[in-house]
Structure formats: C-alpha cells, structure tokens
Amino acid sequence: MFPDSTDVDSNASSKSEPLRPQFWSRFALTELNHSEWEALCDGCGSCCLIKYIDEDESGNVDEEMVEYTDVTCQLMDCATGYCSHYATRQEHVPDCIQLTMDNLPNMMWLPSHCAYKRLYKGQGLPSWHLLLTGDAVVTQQQMRAANVGVAGRCVTEIGMSDEEMETRVVNWVNP
C-alpha cells in the first residue's frame, strides 16, 4: 500500500474521520483529512519498487527517464502486493517514502495511474479505482486487466546485488 501521510493532518481525530462523498473531486488535496488521503492509494505497490531516477543539476526529474525494476522493498509481500508492516514501515525501512502534500510535487516519477499524481495534475481517478467502483474485487480485476500492480510479479531486494537489480528493469510501470 502507499505510504502514510500523517503530515496532511496530524490531529489524532483526523485518523477516524469519515470519507466525504466524492471528496476527490470536491476538495483540493490540501483539504483532505487523513482517511481521505489514505483512501486515494490504489494499493498497486509501484511506489515500493526499486527505481532508477536521474535528476538534473537543479534536482528536477524527467518522469519519462525513470526506470522501474521489478525489485521491491524488503517489506513487500510479493504475492499480495501489500506492505507487510505498513503502519510501522519506517521503523523497519527508515528511507521508506512518506508521501505528503509537501513532497508530492517532487514525486512526479509516481506511475501515471497514481491517484495522488493524477489529482495533483488536475486529472480524474482511473476508472477502476476503488473510490469509483465501490467493489474491491472489481477494482482488483480491472487493475490486473489494466496491467497495474506488483502482486505476483515482483521479487524482494533481500539478497540481491546492485548488479543483478540493474538487469531487472521493467516496462509495465509508466511514470
């Protein structure tokens, strides 16, 4: 699942706030409560893949030049495509990404189907997103049909050399 964003609203009560109807189309990303921010994640796991990102001298990233591998963080369950320690992942992997509204503009390397990226760019949610279908099974089927997600097609970084990782670039994730 996508990294937590407690920075959006650190108020403890925000974690239990209900989702407002069609919040993704009615409110700016900066106006979302914690539950809404988290609900934007489609659970594809692509953000947990090891990737090669080239930055220019100014730190800018050309999203077309990002190369994803099929190698995931050590916490990823490659069978399900979910993080095995999502709530405490940064205790296990200190450099795990914590997506926030503040760092989102610098993360345009996220996949083109990512709801955070799409909404930031003024686009809508993908048609298969759970917030639109309301049915997790339908969403999973449609995600597979759209070739989205790491479940069943990734390997763990544990025991893998940098050289081997470099040979595992894939083209099924589009920035």
Side-chain angles (χ1 to χ4, degrees):
M1 296 199 48
F2 208 84
D4 186 21
S5 181
T6 53
D7 291 352
V8 170
D9 184 354
S10 58
N11 182 333
S13 67
S14 68
K15 293 186 186 226
S16 61
E17 287 181 344
L19 302 181
R20 296 172 287 184
Q22 297 187 334
F23 66 87
W24 60 92
S25 63
R26 297 178 47 230
F27 301 98
L29 288 170
T30 55
E31 298 174 306
L32 302 184
N33 65 45
H34 177 79
S35 298
E36 292 166 342
W37 181 267
E38 287 292 311
L40 289 177
C41 177
D42 62 21
C44 75
S46 297
C47 58
C48 302
L49 293 171
I50 307 291
K51 55 202 95 27
Y52 297 104
I53 302 174
D54 288 327
E55 295 180 349
D56 65 17
E57 304 81 40
S58 304
N60 298 318
V61 174
D62 178 355
E63 46 188 280
E64 300 300 319
M65 300 300 290
V66 175
E67 294 182 302
Y68 282 81
T69 69
D70 66 350
V71 182
T72 64
C73 162
Q74 61 186 309
L75 298 180
M76 177 64 71
D77 178 330
C78 287
T80 66
Y82 293 110
C83 180
S84 60
H85 295 285
Y86 182 70
T88 59
R89 69 195 180 285
Q90 289 177 313
E91 293 172 21
H92 302 277
V93 181
D95 63 345
C96 177
I97 300 161
Q98 182 169 355
L99 181 63
T100 66
M101 191 55 225
D102 289 337
N103 64 13
L104 178 59
N106 299 321
M107 298 178 71
M108 291 299 106
W109 50 260
L110 289 165
S112 59
H113 67 267
C114 176
Y116 299 98
K117 178 178 179 176
R118 292 178 63 84
L119 293 177
Y120 179 79
K121 289 180 145 193
Q123 302 168 343
L125 296 176
S127 62
W128 44 258
H129 199 286
L130 180 60
L131 291 170
L132 297 177
T133 69
D135 184 324
V137 173
V138 168
T139 291
Q140 288 175 349
Q141 291 170 343
Q142 291 181 3
M143 285 177 71
R144 279 190 214 102
N147 204 25
V148 171
V150 303
R153 56 184 182 170
C154 61
V155 295
T156 182
E157 68 180 333
I158 298 172
M160 189 168 299
S161 70
D162 289 342
E163 293 77 23
E164 184 179 357
M165 228 177 280
E166 290 175 9
T167 68
R168 301 196 63 98
V169 172
V170 296
N171 62 7
W172 46 263
V173 180
N174 298 312

